[in-house]
């Protein structure tokens, strides 16, 4: 065969055909990914297809570089049977792994709205959740398993077509010529694998070729996995001087006691799994799946415009308990900085005579919550292992909420007052298991999670029915917040302007906190500082949030897939690659495609400076372990 009058050896054509097979398989898996997640990409364009193909080609060059180089080394035994078998098995190992990652994300993406990366492995192996969820994932995704097997068989069929019927005789092996092809093909793979630029292409570069909403559509999971597998730490940013940084942002705060509640008021924080604003809240104007929670929020200081700082439970916990966001390359709890010295709600309250306990019905070790509870300073941790009746295990996550919640109340009653207790519920998490004996108390809806939230709301009712009988009830501040929003099939709650929306409320049974539907922007990072002010603690503390009782509060910062979403006023600024990218109005209950950045340049520049200061301080303090007030 000749190309530009250059005779190309048969094994070169075989290699190129094989790489072409992988590209074809990635395109098929991309179509499957899109079919499973169409509602998350409301406005795909043809250019996204081309960019996606380009990222697939880059990924193939990176992953198959070692395979290709070794395959092209000029050796006389290339035609040997064992040699061919080794490369065949290697080819299927690499291509099968790439397909598997893409297909796993087809089912997992709705819960995170990002392509999985190294943090998926971290999340699995820092706890024991993989043992519980593996069989559930398999049973719920039989179609994906069938598709995976089918694609592997199709790959094998096409692979056989790439093998030359007549290999070049050993005697005709020309080392100089074949070494030249080795250098050419190897160099080409390196060049393309870098993105054909001076700087290797990365995950964040996808935002330069498409909208933030569609970055996951043009990326592929093997690429994001490969780009993060060796990442271990943060890069210190130097946008401006420390003096300028401090003018824009300072995480060192002092409390401002509100004097609304009695001294030594108890604190109970209830983190509700996946209770997103799409299904929860007295003002949502839809069928409510949380009538009991709604009734409590009507009697609370309620912030309907609250932003979750991430999309995972493992990101919510440090944000709520220690006012620390997960702006690391994975999640904070799986980062090298997870054992940093931190200021947290239980550690500050311990200095003021409070006892503390963390309750999570999942199997002990899940998402390393028990480890974080220890680092954060909780006196005790209670999980599935401590619960006395294992017959109430749901078979997947842990002790189901309707049984665990009332038991938590009894354990709290045994604590020394004043106390700080945190309950993290589990039953409104996929696979949305509601025990048969409680289904009569729940309401189903258009999405599978609706019935699960309804069950979680009923379990919350059981918590309060038991709590009202306890002597500590009327001297307790209750805080309700979701860990993150759930997966959604609606375009609005899949858009970046609405997918972080969660409820947040502060409730006192005696009505000492005036009920109010407060329009101020809030975020999970603000909870820890607000609690300190409400219960009249006098202290300095380290926090990336601000007390919602203070005048200068009113912003939200979400982080997803390497991009930041900064909510201030009525607008959300998207920030990636160290600069503001776009500006959208997030107050309208409709999907907004119009970028308003050019109309509000000053507003955007101010937000960009503040966010840069926060990122600069965050990275430096995590690297140097200065995420606390040194006393």
């Amino acid at each position: 065969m000749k190309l530009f009058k250059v005779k190309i050896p048969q094994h070169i054509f075989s290699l190129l055909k094989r790489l072409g097979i992988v590209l074809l398989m990635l395109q098929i898996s991309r179509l499957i990914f899109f079919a499973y997640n169409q509602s998350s990409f409301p406005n795909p364009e043809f250019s996204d297809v081309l960019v996606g193909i380009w990222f697939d080609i880059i990924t193939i060059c990176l992953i198959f570089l070692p395979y290709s180089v070794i395959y092209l080394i000029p050796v006389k035994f290339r035609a040997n049977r064992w040699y061919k078998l080794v490369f065949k098995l290697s080819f299927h190992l690499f291509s099968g792994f790439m397909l598997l990652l893409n297909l796993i994300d087809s089912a997992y993406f709705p819960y995170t709205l990002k392509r999985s990366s190294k943090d998926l492995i971290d999340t699995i192996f820092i706890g024991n959740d993989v043992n519980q969820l593996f069989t559930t994932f398999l049973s719920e995704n039989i179609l994906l398993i069938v598709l995976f097997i089918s694609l592997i068989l199709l790959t094998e069929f096409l692979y056989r077509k790439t093998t030359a019927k007549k290999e070049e005789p050993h005697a005709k092996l020309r080392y100089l010529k074949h070494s030249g092809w080795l250098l050419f093909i190897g160099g080409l793979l390196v060049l393309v694998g870098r993105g054909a630029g001076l700087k290797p292409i990365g995950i964040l570069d996808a935002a330069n070729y498409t909208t933030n909403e569609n970055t996951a559509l043009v990326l592929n999971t093997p690429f994001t996995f490969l780009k993060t597998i060796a990442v271990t730490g943060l890069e210190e940013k130097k946008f401006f001087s420390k003096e300028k940084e401090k003018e824009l942002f300072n995480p060192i705060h002092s409390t401002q006691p509100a004097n609304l509640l009695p001294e030594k008021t108890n604190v109970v924080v209830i983190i509700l799994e996946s209770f997103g604003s799409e299904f929860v809240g007295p003002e949502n104007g839809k069928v409510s799946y949380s009538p009991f929670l709604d009734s409590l929020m009507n009697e609370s200081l309620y912030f309907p415009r609250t932003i979750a700082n991430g999309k995972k439970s493992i990101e919510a916990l440090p944000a709520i308990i220690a006012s620390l966001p997960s702006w690391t390359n994975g999640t904070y709890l799986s980062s090298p900085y997870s054992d940093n010295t931190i200021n947290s709600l239980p550690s500050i309250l311990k200095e003021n005579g409070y006892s503390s306990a963390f309750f999570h019905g999942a199997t002990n070790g899940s998402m390393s919550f028990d480890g974080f509870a220890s680092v954060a300073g909780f006196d005790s941790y209670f999980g599935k292992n401590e619960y006395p009746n294992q017959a109430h295990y749901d078979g997947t996550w842990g002790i189901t909420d309707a049984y665990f919640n009332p038991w938590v109340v009894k354990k709290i009653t045994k604590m020394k007052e004043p106390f700080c207790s945190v309950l993290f519920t589990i039953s409104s998490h996929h696979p949305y298991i509601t025990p048969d004996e409680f289904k009569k108390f729940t309401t189903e809806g258009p999405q599978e999670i609706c019935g699960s939230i309804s069950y979680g709301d009923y379990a919350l009712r059981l918590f309060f029915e038991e709590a009202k009988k306890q002597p500590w009830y009327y001297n307790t501040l209750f805080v309700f917040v979701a860990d993150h929003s759930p997966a959604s099939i609606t375009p609005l709650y899949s858009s970046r302007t609405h997918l972080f929306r969660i409820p947040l409320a502060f409730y006192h049974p005696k009505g000492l906190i005036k009920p109010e539907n407060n329009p101020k922007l809030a975020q999970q990072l603000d909870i820890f500082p607000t609690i300190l002010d409400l219960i009249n603690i006098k202290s300095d503390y380290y926090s990336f949030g601000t007390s919602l009782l203070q005048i200068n509060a009113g912003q939200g910062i979400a982080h997803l897939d390497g991009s930041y979403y900064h909510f201030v006023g009525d607008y959300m600024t998207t920030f990636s690659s160290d600069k503001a990218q776009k500006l959208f109005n997030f107050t309208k209950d409709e999907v907004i495609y119009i970028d308003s950045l050019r109309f509000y340049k000053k507003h955007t520049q101010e937000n960009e400076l503040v966010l840069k200061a926060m990122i600069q301080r965050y990275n430096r303090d995590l690297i140097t372990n200065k995420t606390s007030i040194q006393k």
Side-chain angles (χ1 to χ4, degrees):
M1 296 183 182
K2 294 185 178 181
L3 184 66
F4 300 114
K5 297 182 179 181
V6 176
K7 187 176 181 179
I8 302 177
Q10 287 283 356
H11 69 286
I12 300 293
F13 273 106
S14 294
L15 174 64
L16 296 178
K17 288 176 184 178
R18 291 171 189 177
L19 298 185
I21 292 171
V22 181
L23 180 60
L24 174 62
M25 294 301 105
L26 289 184
Q27 299 319 302
I28 295 174
S29 64
R30 185 184 297 280
L31 288 174
I32 295 171
F33 176 83
F34 179 70
Y36 267 72
N37 301 283
Q38 290 185 53
S39 62
S40 297
F41 308 108
N43 193 30
E45 299 180 0
F46 179 70
S47 60
D48 294 332
V49 176
L50 299 179
V51 176
I53 293 174
W54 175 237
F55 270 96
D56 287 347
I57 292 173
I58 290 171
T59 308
I60 292 170
C61 291
L62 289 172
I63 291 180
F64 276 86
L65 177 61
Y67 173 94
S68 301
V69 169
I70 296 174
Y71 179 79
L72 293 175
I73 294 175
V75 289
K76 289 187 175 182
F77 47 79
R78 181 178 290 117
N80 287 1
R81 185 176 180 180
W82 67 266
Y83 187 87
K84 292 180 178 180
L85 180 61
V86 168
F87 276 93
K88 182 177 183 178
L89 293 176
S90 301
F91 175 84
H92 282 300
L93 180 64
F94 286 128
S95 62
F97 181 66
M98 295 171 74
L99 283 174
L100 182 63
L101 288 177
N102 270 347
L103 293 181
I104 286 175
D105 249 3
S106 297
Y108 187 60
F109 177 80
Y111 304 102
T112 62
L113 292 183
K114 65 186 286 289
R115 287 282 186 171
S116 295
S117 56
K118 174 178 171 278
D119 64 326
L120 174 61
I121 304 299
D122 293 335
T123 301
I124 291 174
F125 287 103
I126 64 171
N128 53 13
D129 301 318
V130 66
N131 300 323
Q132 305 170 72
L133 297 178
F134 182 69
T135 55
T136 302
F137 182 85
L138 291 181
S139 64
E140 291 189 349
N141 294 283
I142 297 296
L143 178 58
L144 285 177
I145 296 172
V146 172
L147 288 171
F148 176 67
I149 295 173
S150 300
L151 290 176
I152 293 296
L153 293 175
L154 177 59
T155 302
E156 167 62 13
F157 172 77
L158 294 174
Y159 182 91
R160 293 183 181 183
K161 302 292 185 181
T162 68
T163 304
K165 294 182 179 179
K166 186 178 181 181
E167 295 283 351
E168 291 178 296
H170 296 177
K172 291 188 177 181
L173 184 63
R174 299 172 182 174
Y175 290 101
L176 184 60
K177 174 184 175 181
H178 287 198
S179 296
W181 278 108
L182 168 62
L183 293 174
F184 174 73
I185 298 296
L188 183 62
L189 292 175
V190 171
L191 178 64
V192 176
R194 289 175 56 88
L198 296 176
K199 179 183 177 182
I201 196 167
I203 297 171
L204 297 181
D205 293 311
N208 297 327
Y209 302 103
T210 186
T211 62
N212 286 88
E213 290 80 3
N214 290 344
T215 53
L217 185 60
V218 303
L219 289 167
N220 62 71
T221 310
F223 179 83
T224 56
F225 186 86
L226 189 65
K227 287 293 182 177
T228 57
I229 195 67
V231 174
T232 57
L234 291 169
E235 172 192 355
E236 186 167 349
K237 300 289 186 179
K238 295 182 179 179
F239 297 119
F240 24 62
S241 67
K242 290 183 180 180
E243 290 73 23
K244 180 63 176 178
E245 169 199 283
K246 192 172 182 179
E247 290 177 15
L248 295 166
F249 171 74
N250 186 1
I252 308 302
H253 302 265
S254 297
T255 57
Q256 297 180 18
N259 298 313
L260 296 175
L261 305 179
E263 301 296 320
K264 306 300 181 181
T265 295
N266 301 311
V267 178
V268 173
V269 180
I270 301 178
I271 305 173
L272 298 157
E273 172 67 53
S274 299
F275 268 51
S277 293
E278 181 177 5
F279 307 106
V280 174
E283 83 304 327
N284 66 12
K286 304 175 184 178
V287 175
S288 176
Y289 299 98
S290 58
F292 180 72
L293 176 61
D294 293 354
S295 68
L296 292 176
M297 291 196 292
N298 277 326
E299 300 176 16
S300 305
L301 175 57
Y302 170 50
F303 296 89
R305 298 207 309 167
T306 299
I307 304 301
N309 295 112
K311 277 291 292 179
K312 297 179 181 179
S313 302
I314 199 171
E315 296 170 325
L317 194 57
I320 294 169
I321 302 303
S323 195
L324 273 175
S326 286
W327 295 346
T328 54
N329 297 308
T331 62
Y332 174 78
L333 293 191
S334 62
S335 75
Y337 316 107
S338 58
D339 61 348
N340 273 18
T341 303
I342 58 175
N343 288 147
S344 66
L345 184 61
S347 68
I348 294 291
L349 294 187
K350 182 177 291 187
E351 297 171 359
N352 290 268
Y354 280 70
S355 62
S356 60
F358 187 91
F359 299 88
H360 188 222
T363 303
N364 296 49
S366 176
M367 294 179 282
S368 275
F369 279 4
D370 51 354
F372 176 74
S374 178
V375 171
F378 282 97
D379 296 326
S380 305
Y381 177 93
F382 297 93
K384 173 178 174 289
N385 293 1
E386 288 72 33
Y387 186 78
N389 189 349
Q390 295 303 305
H392 296 156
Y393 174 51
D394 65 10
T396 301
W397 273 112
I399 306 302
T400 189
D401 287 351
Y403 291 114
F404 192 71
N405 288 3
W407 178 78
V408 169
V409 174
K410 295 176 183 178
K411 298 299 291 185
I412 290 176
T413 300
K414 296 179 180 180
M415 295 176 65
K416 180 179 73 70
E417 294 190 63
F419 57 73
C420 169
S421 296
V422 176
L423 167 61
F424 202 131
T425 68
I426 67 168
S427 293
S428 41
H429 191 290
H430 181 269
Y432 311 128
I433 298 172
T434 299
D436 292 338
E437 61 268 32
F438 297 109
K439 287 183 177 178
K440 61 184 177 181
F441 302 111
T442 65
T443 302
E444 299 297 325
Q447 299 186 43
E448 189 179 9
I449 194 174
C450 296
S452 185
I453 287 178
S454 178
Y455 168 60
D457 184 69
Y458 176 74
L460 182 65
R461 183 189 295 271
L462 296 181
F463 178 95
F464 271 84
E465 286 178 357
E466 187 66 30
K468 288 178 181 178
K469 303 174 187 177
Q470 310 306 320
W472 49 263
Y473 176 71
Y474 287 100
N475 186 39
T476 301
L477 165 68
F478 292 91
V479 182
F480 311 104
V481 65
D483 59 341
H484 55 76
S485 60
S488 176
I489 62 173
T490 63
L492 178 62
Y493 282 93
S494 296
S495 68
R496 295 299 190 266
T497 57
H498 281 69
L499 67 86
F500 301 104
R501 301 284 281 274
I502 59 171
L504 169 63
F506 300 85
Y507 169 72
H508 192 277
K510 287 185 177 180
L512 299 181
I513 299 175
K514 181 181 177 182
E516 179 186 0
N517 192 326
N518 194 306
K520 181 182 294 186
L521 266 171
Q523 58 184 332
Q524 291 168 329
L525 296 172
D526 300 333
I527 295 173
F528 162 36
T530 305
I531 290 174
L532 294 183
D533 280 0
L534 280 172
I535 61 175
N536 310 317
I537 298 297
K538 297 178 181 179
S539 177
D540 295 330
Y541 60 94
Y542 183 101
S543 165
F544 273 76
T546 307
S547 170
L548 293 169
L549 304 182
Q550 297 182 16
I551 297 174
N552 60 341
Q555 69 171 338
I557 304 172
H559 183 255
L560 179 64
D561 209 12
S563 294
Y564 300 82
Y565 301 89
H566 191 190
F567 297 80
V568 179
D570 293 338
Y571 288 88
M572 176 194 77
T573 305
T574 66
F575 181 94
S576 59
S577 300
D578 291 341
K579 64 179 180 180
Q581 302 286 350
K582 295 182 180 180
L583 187 74
F584 298 99
N585 188 314
F586 69 89
T587 62
K588 302 181 183 298
D589 286 333
E590 58 186 81
V591 180
I592 303 297
Y593 297 113
I594 300 174
D595 178 10
S596 302
L597 190 147
R598 64 183 183 276
F599 302 115
Y600 297 93
K601 288 186 177 181
K602 183 178 179 181
H603 174 90
T604 307
Q605 290 169 354
E606 292 174 351
N607 293 347
E608 179 180 311
L609 287 175
V610 171
L611 191 53
K612 281 184 173 181
M614 296 180 77
I615 294 170
Q616 178 171 301
R617 184 65 186 263
Y618 180 84
N619 287 18
R620 186 176 71 251
D621 285 359
L622 259 65
I623 292 170
T624 59
N625 193 11
K626 293 182 179 178
T627 47
S628 65
I629 298 287
Q630 304 298 322
K631 296 182 179 181

